[in-house]
């Protein structure tokens, strides 16, 4: 099991960086491309990151403390970025940690500690992957750069008190990592009732500056391009791994079951602005891939809940262009 240790909020230490004067030259905007690439990878230097690394033999955990980053690339029009860091212990990408977002700075101080459970015998084959991102509330987050640290067995011999510095190098943006949703489908042909039980979600995309989201799940019943009904779960506050175990019920006559599909959207609740779509998936006889397989398994096993995991994808709600209508 992996878990995040508590860490203090150091946001106050970055305020001095936000004060600029008119006409001040920002060296980071004129940085020469190329130079020392640290890990020997091709790409442009995008700043440096500092961290502490040690291995806890008694608990078999790799302990990582992200200290700070300096001279990050500016991604926003104001000459700054809103940086945060994701870390993975490769090759496992299912388990990840993420720091808080720091606003309007190219030199964020994080001071956040994370732990990865890994046996000592496996340490030589694992790599620590840092991805530094620029947070954007309304669009995909920009990848500033990344660092890969191997030879982790060497760090197990140290005390973890000496900061490690690595160059952040430009990399290819990862496929949108929106998270996964686990839900079951159960259809009762005689009653004409379909129950979608939303179980839980994992690794959701962070939509708020806290590094978390306030997710809820909305299921929409679609027939011939029209949204007939919608159901919602409760809202789970400040989490990227919510657990629901909530049933969403739709009445669908058996003769219409092949005409319908269900679009399931994971939403981020916002008490002030508009609720944002984190990601979506679709199940039905005309769905693709896992969505069709899940639907087919449900129909082949009436009255039995069939649960599947679904990768969330970027689909806009504009696909549901019409509302209203009835089933026969």
């Amino acid at each position: 099991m992996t878990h995040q240790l508590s860490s203090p909020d150091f946001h106050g230490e970055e305020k001095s960086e936000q004060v600029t004067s008119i006409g001040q030259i920002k060296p980071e905007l004129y940085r020469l491309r190329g130079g020392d690439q640290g890990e020997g990878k091709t790409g442009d230097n995008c700043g440096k990151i500092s961290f502490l690394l040690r291995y806890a033999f008694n608990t078999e955990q790799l302990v990582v403390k992200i200290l700070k980053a300096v001279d990050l690339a500016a991604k926003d029009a104001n000459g700054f970025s809103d940086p945060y860091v994701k870390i993975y212990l490769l090759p496992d990408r299912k388990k990840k940690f993420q720091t808080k977002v720091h606003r309007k700075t190219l030199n964020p101080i994080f001071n956040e500690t994370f732990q990865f459970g890994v046996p000592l015998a496996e340490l030589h084959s694992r790599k620590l992957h840092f991805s530094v991102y620029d947070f954007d509330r309304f669009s995909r987050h920009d990848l500033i750069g990344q660092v890969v640290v191997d030879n982790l067995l060497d760090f197990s011999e140290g005390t973890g008190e000496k900061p490690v510095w690595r160059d952040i190098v430009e990399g290819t943006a990862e496929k949108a990592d929106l998270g996964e949703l686990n839900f079951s489908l159960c259809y009762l042909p005689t009653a004409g009732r379909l129950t979608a039980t939303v179980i839980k979600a994992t690794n959701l995309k962070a939509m708020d500056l806290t590094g978390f989201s306030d997710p809820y799940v909305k299921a929409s019943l679609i027939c011939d391009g029209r949204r007939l009904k919608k159901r919602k779960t409760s809202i789970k506050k400040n989490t990227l791994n919510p657990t629901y175990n909530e049933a969403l019920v739709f009445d669908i006559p058996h003769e219409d079951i092949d005409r319908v599909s269900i679009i399931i959207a994971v939403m981020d609740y916002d008490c002030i602005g508009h609720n944002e779509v984190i990601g979506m998936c679709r199940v039905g006889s005309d769905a693709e891939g896992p969505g069709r397989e899940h639907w087919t398994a449900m129909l082949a096993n009436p009255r039995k809940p069939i649960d599947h995991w679904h990768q969330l994808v970027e689909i806009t709600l504009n696909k549901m262009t019409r509302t209203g209508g009835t089933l026969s």
Side-chain angles (χ1 to χ4, degrees):
M1 299 292 291
T2 61
H3 60 280
Q4 178 178 347
L5 297 180
S6 60
S7 57
D9 185 356
F10 288 87
H11 288 198
E13 297 185 31
E14 65 185 65
K15 290 183 178 178
S16 61
E17 302 169 10
Q18 300 178 20
V19 180
T20 60
S21 60
I22 296 176
Q24 178 180 350
I25 296 177
K26 301 186 179 75
E28 64 275 1
L29 299 182
Y30 302 90
R31 186 181 297 116
L32 294 176
R33 303 174 81 85
D36 181 14
Q37 302 306 323
E39 295 294 311
K41 295 184 179 295
T42 59
D44 297 312
N45 193 306
C46 304
K48 293 178 179 288
I49 190 169
S50 174
F51 54 92
L52 299 176
L53 198 58
R54 68 180 179 87
Y55 186 76
F57 289 90
N58 57 335
T59 57
E60 292 193 319
Q61 289 178 322
L62 183 68
V63 183
V64 185
K65 183 174 184 179
I66 302 177
L67 299 175
K68 59 184 177 180
V70 297
D71 298 330
L72 294 180
K75 291 291 187 178
D76 298 334
N78 59 12
F80 292 104
S81 292
D82 300 322
Y84 67 94
V85 181
K86 284 184 188 178
I87 55 173
Y88 305 86
L89 189 59
L90 300 177
D92 184 7
R93 283 187 170 272
K94 290 286 187 181
K95 297 175 183 177
K96 66 180 178 183
F97 293 112
Q98 180 174 311
T99 67
K100 295 183 177 71
V101 177
H102 290 251
R103 296 298 306 275
K104 297 181 180 179
T105 178
L106 301 180
N107 301 284
I109 297 175
F110 297 105
N111 284 327
E112 294 188 52
T113 304
F114 308 96
Q115 293 183 344
F116 292 93
V118 54
L120 181 62
E122 296 181 11
L123 203 56
H124 73 282
S125 62
R126 310 297 288 274
K127 294 182 180 182
L128 196 61
H129 187 279
F130 297 83
S131 294
V132 185
Y133 281 90
D134 170 48
F135 176 89
D136 194 312
R137 179 70 175 86
F138 300 106
S139 65
R140 184 178 298 184
H141 302 178
D142 293 322
L143 179 65
I144 296 175
Q146 53 196 13
V147 173
V148 178
V149 181
D150 51 14
N151 299 321
L152 295 177
L153 201 57
D154 296 343
F155 292 95
S156 68
E157 301 172 357
T159 60
E161 297 177 355
K162 183 179 179 180
V164 179
W165 285 91
R166 287 287 188 274
D167 286 335
I168 301 169
V169 296
E170 193 175 48
T172 304
E174 304 167 355
K175 183 180 178 181
D177 188 5
L178 306 178
E180 295 178 300
L181 181 66
N182 181 216
F183 61 91
S184 69
L185 297 175
C186 181
Y187 185 62
L188 305 178
T190 53
R193 181 177 301 128
L194 188 151
T195 302
T197 302
V198 180
I199 302 171
K200 59 184 176 180
T202 61
N203 296 327
L204 295 179
K205 175 183 175 181
M207 301 294 283
D208 301 330
L209 289 174
T210 58
F212 295 102
S213 294
D214 300 323
Y216 68 94
V217 178
K218 179 168 69 174
S220 300
L221 178 65
I222 309 298
C223 179
D224 298 331
R226 296 192 300 269
R227 183 175 67 185
L228 303 183
K229 299 288 184 181
K230 64 180 180 180
R231 303 283 186 266
K232 299 178 183 179
T233 68
S234 59
I235 300 166
K236 303 299 180 181
K237 291 286 189 176
N238 296 319
T239 179
L240 301 180
N241 300 281
T243 298
Y244 297 98
N245 290 318
E246 297 181 34
L248 309 177
V249 180
F250 296 94
D251 292 324
I252 307 172
H254 186 255
E255 59 270 22
D256 293 314
I257 193 65
D258 292 329
R259 296 172 51 206
V260 302
S261 63
I262 297 178
I263 293 180
I264 297 182
V266 181
M267 311 287 295
D268 175 48
Y269 172 78
D270 194 320
C271 62
I272 300 176
H274 295 291
N275 299 342
E276 298 288 334
V277 180
I278 298 175
M280 306 175 71
C281 62
R282 187 165 71 98
V283 292
S285 57
D286 61 344
E288 299 178 355
R292 185 170 186 172
E293 294 170 6
H294 196 176
W295 191 263
T296 301
M298 173 197 73
L299 295 179
N301 297 272
R303 297 175 294 280
K304 180 181 178 182
I306 305 295
D307 74 278
H308 280 199
W309 281 95
H310 292 261
Q311 186 74 39
L312 298 177
V313 297
E314 292 180 321
I315 304 178
T316 64
L317 287 172
N318 292 334
K319 281 187 173 286
M320 295 179 291
T321 56
R322 295 176 290 168
T323 59
T326 59
L327 293 174
S328 59

